Amino acid sequence: MYFGLTDEQEMIVSTVRSFVENEIYPHEAEVERLGEVPSEIARDIKQKCIDLGFYASNFPESVGGPGLSHVDFALVERELGRGSMALTHFFGRPQNILMACKGEQIDKYLLPAVRGEKMDALAMTEPDAGSDVRGMKCSAVRDGGDWVVNGSKHFISGAEHADFVIVFVATGVDDTPRGPKKRITCFLVDRGTPGFEIARGYKSVSHRGYQNSILYFDNCRLSDAQVLGEVDGGFDVMNEWLYATRITVATNSVGRARRVFDYALAYAAERSQFGQPIGKFQGVSFQIADMITEIDAADLLTLSAAWRLDQGLPANREIASAKVYASEMLARVTDAALQIHGGMGLMDELPIERFWRDARVERIWDGTSEIQRHIISRELFRPLGA
């Protein structure tokens, strides 16, 4: 077993970290204040990423991407996790399920997304269908040779900047021994399509500037050419996407935790009380020790899951373990960092309170901690027939 990085991987880490520190950090306070990313800053970050050769780094060389391995891409996401998500969004990682594009979809959606000419967003969640994906009410029915979509989606990240949206809707119901089971189909929907509206979503305390949107479909007519994958095959497409996003949440959590830890370690070494640095007191020093131990554990767990994907090994349980542990680790680390900073940790003169707020959502989106534990336990019990 070898845990070191190759020279190329060290270069990836160094390059992306430098990009985040020089191109992302300087704009974070402004984005936090405005609650959005100014368009000129977004364009600048996107173009610099393209020039750097890292845009669409989650795509293979066959479609114009850099062709990074799962471990390489995890390292990219780990470093991006250090920066504001609202800003790193423009570093550009299109949804990997666009690899399911075929025929004319390749030139219309896939290749423009990889080149940075179009931006995408993914829409799955609804007010009554979060963890229960099959509970979605947004549906499409046949009308002649087209599909007519009605319903809504919410909590849709990045839709305000998207040129097209990847939408999952119900397209029928099967009767099964366990009751009715909805069939799901994935569609590619262009901004400006009649009957399709993108509206501003809710204000969140986490990741300000990384906005969410509400999507409305009112007799929105789509053709078969806009089906991504197969009709009623949406779950097959969905599962490919969930693997990638759960590793992203885990790696982002590790990167953000390391940045928070650096602040806490420096503060504990510099801040003096009772005639000595507070890091000399066990109440603080033991917290520092626990923080770095948990960060390292989450890092190794996450990279191990990515490595399994590179080896073609089953990784569903390992990815779920990485997501639940890293996201919950981030909550503990940010809370400890805030405690170490005392009252100043809650003031917006320091970024600690922002990290603390941002950490909360990681245990919810892309599959809650409860869903991850369900996946883990199911994978363990299944071979036993339980």
Side-chain angles (χ1 to χ4, degrees):
M1 300 176 72
Y2 178 67
F3 292 94
L5 302 183
T6 65
D7 290 342
E8 182 178 353
Q9 288 170 336
E10 292 283 9
M11 182 275 293
I12 289 172
V13 170
S14 175
T15 301
V16 179
R17 183 175 299 182
S18 177
F19 186 95
V20 171
E21 291 175 349
N22 293 308
E23 306 296 340
I24 303 298
Y25 286 7
H27 302 298
E28 289 180 334
E30 181 181 6
V31 168
E32 186 75 5
R33 178 177 58 82
L34 295 175
E36 61 184 13
V37 179
S39 57
E40 63 276 11
I41 293 176
R43 286 193 301 270
D44 185 54
I45 292 172
K46 183 178 178 181
Q47 188 57 53
K48 286 178 176 176
C49 178
I50 292 171
D51 294 342
L52 200 62
F54 273 90
Y55 199 88
S57 52
N58 53 329
F59 279 77
E61 291 179 310
S62 60
V63 295
L68 301 184
S69 69
H70 289 287
V71 170
D72 293 342
F73 184 61
L75 295 172
V76 170
E77 288 287 8
R78 188 181 72 185
E79 296 310 313
L80 292 176
R82 291 174 174 268
S84 161
M85 185 170 285
L87 291 158
T88 60
H89 173 68
F90 299 98
F91 195 85
R93 288 93 78 210
Q95 305 297 335
N96 65 307
I97 57 176
L98 287 173
M99 286 299 293
C101 285
K102 55 191 176 184
E104 295 180 356
Q105 294 175 344
I106 294 172
D107 289 325
K108 186 175 181 181
Y109 298 105
L110 172 60
L111 298 182
V114 173
R115 292 192 295 259
E117 297 164 1
K118 289 184 177 181
M119 295 195 76
D120 62 295
L122 189 137
M124 188 185 305
T125 303
E126 298 179 10
D128 295 319
S131 297
D132 179 17
V133 176
R134 288 194 188 272
M136 65 175 60
K137 297 178 180 176
C138 186
S139 63
V141 296
R142 276 291 193 187
D143 183 39
D146 294 334
W147 294 92
V148 178
V149 183
N150 283 285
S152 65
K153 301 286 181 180
H154 77 165
F155 294 157
I156 309 307
S157 302
E160 74 276 19
H161 303 289
D163 298 287
F164 66 95
V165 181
I166 305 162
V167 183
F168 291 86
V169 300
T171 46
V173 179
D174 290 326
D175 290 324
T176 73
R178 304 177 81 175
K181 185 177 180 181
K182 289 184 179 177
R183 300 193 300 270
I184 307 296
T185 301
C186 184
F187 290 90
L188 299 163
V189 187
D190 296 304
R191 176 185 287 274
T193 298
F196 173 47
E197 178 189 356
I198 301 175
R200 186 149 187 159
Y202 316 98
K203 288 188 68 175
S204 173
V205 300
S206 294
H207 299 298
R208 290 175 181 166
Y210 186 65
Q211 298 174 8
N212 66 86
S213 297
I214 302 173
L215 311 186
Y216 295 103
F217 297 88
D218 182 10
N219 291 322
C220 178
R221 188 170 289 270
L222 304 174
S223 69
D224 279 332
Q226 289 164 272
V227 173
L228 182 62
E230 303 296 330
V231 172
D232 299 332
F235 263 92
D236 294 333
V237 178
M238 188 186 301
N239 286 333
E240 287 295 315
W241 170 75
L242 287 172
Y243 271 175
T245 60
R246 286 169 180 170
I247 286 185
T248 291
V249 171
T251 52
N252 282 176
S253 295
V254 171
R256 198 164 296 120
R258 289 205 185 278
R259 183 177 174 190
V260 174
F261 174 79
D262 290 343
Y263 281 110
L265 181 64
Y267 190 81
E270 296 166 1
R271 170 73 166 168
S272 290
Q273 290 287 278
F274 304 102
Q276 62 180 357
I278 62 173
K280 294 277 189 181
F281 297 103
Q282 285 187 355
V284 173
S285 65
F286 282 15
Q287 286 190 77
I288 292 290
D290 287 342
M291 290 163 75
I292 196 60
T293 300
E294 289 203 64
I295 293 170
D296 286 345
D299 202 359
L300 290 171
L301 190 61
T302 302
L303 292 175
S304 174
W307 176 85
R308 290 184 67 86
L309 288 179
D310 282 331
Q311 305 308 308
L313 298 171
N316 198 27
R317 176 178 67 81
E318 289 79 4
I319 291 171
S321 293
K323 200 272 185 184
V324 69
Y325 184 77
S327 62
E328 295 189 355
M329 171 278 297
L330 178 61
R332 292 187 290 270
V333 166
T334 53
D335 192 71
L338 194 151
Q339 189 70 19
I340 288 169
H341 280 79
M344 281 306 298
L346 287 165
M347 304 300 115
D348 61 12
E349 279 78 8
L350 297 176
I352 306 302
E353 57 87 23
R354 169 164 61 86
F355 297 130
W356 181 60
R357 284 187 285 104
D358 290 351
R360 189 59 187 89
V361 73
E362 309 299 341
R363 289 175 276 167
I364 297 173
W365 60 12
D366 297 305
T368 63
S369 289
E370 290 74 22
I371 288 295
Q372 304 313 309
R373 289 185 168 93
H374 170 69
I375 292 170
I376 295 164
S377 59
R378 182 187 62 194
E379 293 287 317
L380 293 171
F381 282 119
R382 184 173 285 162
L384 305 177

